[in-house]
Amino acid sequence: MKVNIQPVQIWNAGQTQTATQFELNGVWDNFDNTATLYYQLLDVDNVQLSQGNQTIDGQDYQDWDNDPDANTWIVNWSATQLGLTII
């Protein structure tokens, strides 16, 4: 899922660049209590400026599993963990 974010400055390839989009995908889930997510921060031209993995588990995983709008919930959770603001 890709969403627009409040622009953030990222050091990439020796220069400061601006990320304006956040993309999140699930890469692994044991369907019980933990999952791994893959995120990318992209510029206005969809060029990847940063990427990484996150793990969700414990109470956060249970809250995600119980939310009727799980996709929105997980994107908001991930963005919050990274200090991003979705717009």
Side-chain angles (χ1 to χ4, degrees):
M1 180 176 213
K2 187 187 300 184
V3 295
N4 292 324
I5 57 171
Q6 182 176 344
V8 293
Q9 300 299 304
I10 296 179
W11 186 255
N12 181 46
Q15 58 185 314
T16 301
Q17 298 178 345
T18 303
T20 59
Q21 299 176 76
F22 171 61
E23 186 167 1
L24 184 69
N25 294 289
V27 294
W28 181 82
D29 189 339
N30 73 356
F31 301 111
D32 182 36
N33 59 10
T34 189
T36 301
L37 311 169
Y38 173 74
Y39 70 86
Q40 297 179 80
L41 296 177
L42 310 165
D43 70 10
V44 69
D45 296 319
N46 290 315
V47 174
Q48 178 182 294
L49 304 179
S50 181
Q51 56 85 32
N53 292 302
Q54 294 174 299
T55 299
I56 184 169
D57 55 16
Q59 187 61 50
D60 287 337
Y61 186 93
Q62 297 306 316
D63 291 347
W64 173 35
D65 188 46
N66 293 327
D67 195 291
D69 190 1
N71 287 343
T72 298
W73 191 96
I74 195 63
V75 169
N76 286 327
W77 177 88
S78 178
T80 298
Q81 299 301 306
L82 295 169
L84 303 172
T85 302
I86 296 172
I87 53 173

